[in-house]
Amino acid sequence: MTHDAYEDEEERTFVALPPARGRGFTGTWWGRAWVKALEDSALDAEQLRKGRKQARDGAVGAVSIRPGRITAVVRDRDGTGHRSDVLLQELPEDGWDRFLDMAVDRAGHLAALLDRDMPPHLVEDAAEAGAELLPGIGDLEPECTCDAWDLCPHTAALCYQVARLLDQDPFVLLLLRGRGERRLLDALQVRSAARAERAGPEAGLTADAGDEGVPPVGAAGVPAVEAFAAEASRAAAAEGIASALLAAPPLPEEPGRPPSLETETGAPEGIDPDALEFLAADAAVRARRMLAEVLSTGRTEQGLGQSVAGLPEGLATGLTVGQDAVRLAATARDALPPAVADRLVAGCGRGRPGFRVAVRAWRLGGAAGLAVLDGEPVPDDVLARATSRLQFAADLDEDGRPSLRAAGSGRWATGPGTQLRVGADGRWWVFTRTAGALWSPAGPPAPDPASALASFRAADVQGPPGGSVDGFGPGPSHPPGDGET
């Protein structure tokens, strides 16, 4: 997974919190540690006192956190809103290297982080390794539209609000220092696997195979991961060593083409040569995609074929018959033969117009696009962030935003025949519909609602695409994969 794949996760927006009741402002070690670091490093205690009161009173709106920056609108008692930003320097690359090495060196830290937990003594051990997580004197740089030259009550209130967010999720601190949760955990897994490989043969591949090192073959065939594992086991036996990793082959420029099945004798009864060639071509496309992602993410250090967990994200996720029919049509390299198109339409169960729109949704966003089209449930936390993001945009630009009306869970009408939708992955889509037609995605997803609407307006897209299922052309050269989000 490349760095660009993490762009969507490297900004998080939290809903505005209600006023804080009771004596304690925060309830966890991480929240208290942030407050202590804030108060120990601040030079103006009076601004801190005012800011703490505003935060306690619920004056801080939705908070956006991304690497190096915290943003929110903070309102005075008279309702006047001020955009407030607090900047914190990101850890440099060598700082993150030291942090990752420290975490991998300490089994307790590694296990906790991979279990989405952050033990309190992680801060001290990271500091000893040269990776400071909590802010020190002069580390927090405030910016506010109230024109204060330094810390003001608004930026102080925002700093205190971060402590309450750390109560909810301490990984917010790592995001603020430059690494989103998924990117960090992937880096830990890769580094841990590489270290285990260097530790010796006992860290390598083991396989429970037969006398020849080949898994038993059943009626359903042998999964690809088991085939790779068996080949690695045979290679180990041939070299007379306990284990071996199967090296990844070079990436071909294009997926391989299946042999032609047109013969003079004709196909056996019950075999459709066109359908069989079509499925073989699809298998080649998927195999090349798997290899490309393995090579791009450095997973070759872990070897190929060790487990389903080693597959690129989404390829190990099962699809329904209807979803797979859509995927097959959307990712086809060539126009579908009429008989194959008929079988896919029948397997999809949507009818031809619905199938055409579903294929478009998959081509634009994979299984995630199909889920948004079908209105599949969106997790409560994603809906909460989406609602807060819309409110956040409204706070910053009350005059320029479009009029939105809730049109269902995760859907907002922006005008006649146009909807904004959010998916389970937090990405935003614009859907359009003309009279008598089906809702259809107007374009690819965007990381935020403003970008989605801007792209839609720039393209001047009106209504769903035309075309015929029978005449479906090839999909994109590098289409979204199975279950890709």
Side-chain angles (χ1 to χ4, degrees):
M1 190 174 297
T2 63
H3 176 76
D4 291 343
Y6 295 98
E7 288 181 355
D8 288 352
E9 75 148 359
E10 293 202 343
E11 179 176 356
R12 296 184 60 186
T13 304
F14 294 83
V15 298
L17 297 177
R21 305 299 183 190
R23 296 183 59 185
F25 188 77
T26 63
T28 69
W29 184 92
W30 285 100
R32 290 191 292 270
W34 175 271
V35 169
K36 185 177 187 303
L38 170 66
E39 295 177 346
D40 287 349
S41 61
L43 302 178
D44 193 334
E46 179 61 18
Q47 300 299 338
L48 280 183
R49 185 188 65 79
K50 293 178 180 178
R52 185 181 181 112
K53 185 178 188 308
Q54 280 193 279
R56 182 180 285 278
D57 290 344
V60 182
V63 179
S64 172
I65 295 183
R66 52 195 181 279
R69 183 178 291 268
I70 316 161
T71 305
V73 172
V74 182
R75 298 194 179 276
D76 292 330
R77 296 187 64 180
D78 63 1
T80 303
H82 299 277
R83 171 174 173 148
S84 301
D85 293 82
V86 176
L87 281 60
L88 178 63
Q89 186 175 11
E90 298 178 44
L91 287 181
E93 285 299 318
D94 59 348
W96 279 112
D97 285 338
R98 289 192 293 270
F99 177 88
L100 293 169
D101 285 338
M102 176 277 300
V104 172
D105 284 340
R106 293 164 172 79
H109 288 338
L110 179 63
L113 286 167
L114 293 178
D115 198 36
R116 296 197 70 259
D117 185 24
M118 283 180 57
H121 50 284
L122 182 70
V123 167
E124 296 177 1
D125 291 342
E128 290 180 3
E132 295 283 352
L133 297 180
L134 292 170
I137 295 176
D139 286 350
L140 296 174
E141 300 181 24
E143 297 177 355
C144 187
T145 56
C146 74
D147 296 330
W149 67 274
D150 199 358
L151 188 71
C152 65
H154 311 112
T155 51
L158 178 55
C159 287
Y160 274 110
Q161 196 76 334
V162 171
R164 299 179 69 187
L165 300 182
L166 288 171
D167 281 350
Q168 299 179 16
D169 186 356
F171 276 84
V172 165
L173 180 58
L174 300 181
L175 173 58
L176 187 54
R177 282 297 197 179
R179 291 288 175 96
E181 178 182 327
R182 193 177 70 202
R183 184 181 175 197
L184 173 72
L185 297 184
D186 279 358
L188 281 172
Q189 289 175 328
V190 169
R191 194 163 297 218
S192 175
R195 183 163 299 186
E197 179 188 345
R198 292 194 297 268
E202 62 275 10
L205 176 70
T206 60
D208 183 12
D211 293 339
E212 299 297 324
V214 181
V217 179
V222 180
V225 289
E226 293 184 22
F228 270 105
E231 181 62 28
S233 179
R234 285 197 298 270
E239 295 293 332
I241 57 178
S243 64
L245 293 175
L246 185 65
L251 183 69
E253 291 186 5
E254 295 290 339
R257 290 280 185 178
S260 174
L261 299 181
E262 293 184 5
T263 64
E264 295 181 358
T265 58
E269 185 179 356
I271 299 297
D272 182 343
D274 286 341
L276 192 56
E277 284 190 36
F278 176 74
L279 292 175
D282 174 70
V285 170
R286 296 178 68 189
R288 184 186 183 279
R289 172 183 162 75
M290 290 172 61
L291 178 59
E293 188 160 350
V294 166
L295 292 174
S296 68
T297 58
R299 288 194 180 116
T300 52
E301 295 177 346
Q302 304 174 46
L304 296 177
Q306 295 186 51
S307 68
V308 173
L311 290 175
E313 183 176 352
L315 288 177
T317 302
L319 300 173
T320 66
V321 172
Q323 290 169 338
D324 203 42
V326 173
R327 179 194 65 79
L328 286 166
T331 59
R333 299 172 63 188
D334 303 304
L336 300 181
V340 172
D342 289 342
R343 292 178 66 171
L344 293 180
V345 170
C348 177
R350 298 169 181 265
R352 291 181 181 274
F355 186 63
R356 185 167 54 244
V357 173
V359 168
R360 174 173 171 79
W362 191 287
R363 285 182 173 173
L364 292 171
L370 192 60
V372 175
L373 171 68
D374 291 341
E376 292 187 7
V378 178
D380 291 342
D381 60 327
V382 175
L383 280 177
R385 287 197 297 271
T387 302
S388 66
R389 193 148 198 175
L390 291 174
Q391 183 59 52
F392 180 67
D395 286 339
L396 294 180
D397 186 13
E398 295 181 356
D399 297 326
R401 65 189 179 95
S403 175
L404 300 179
R405 175 176 54 82
S409 180
R411 304 181 187 187
W412 294 266
T414 64
T418 308
Q419 285 185 354
L420 257 180
R421 299 187 184 185
V422 67
D425 57 3
R427 294 187 297 176
W428 293 80
W429 298 72
V430 174
F431 273 68
T432 59
R433 180 177 66 177
T434 56
L438 301 171
W439 284 105
S440 175
D448 57 75
S451 299
L453 286 171
S455 298
F456 166 64
R457 289 166 180 156
D460 194 25
V461 178
Q462 297 185 13
S468 165
V469 173
D470 295 331
F472 250 70
S477 58
H478 298 286
D482 314 278
E484 178 184 85
T485 58

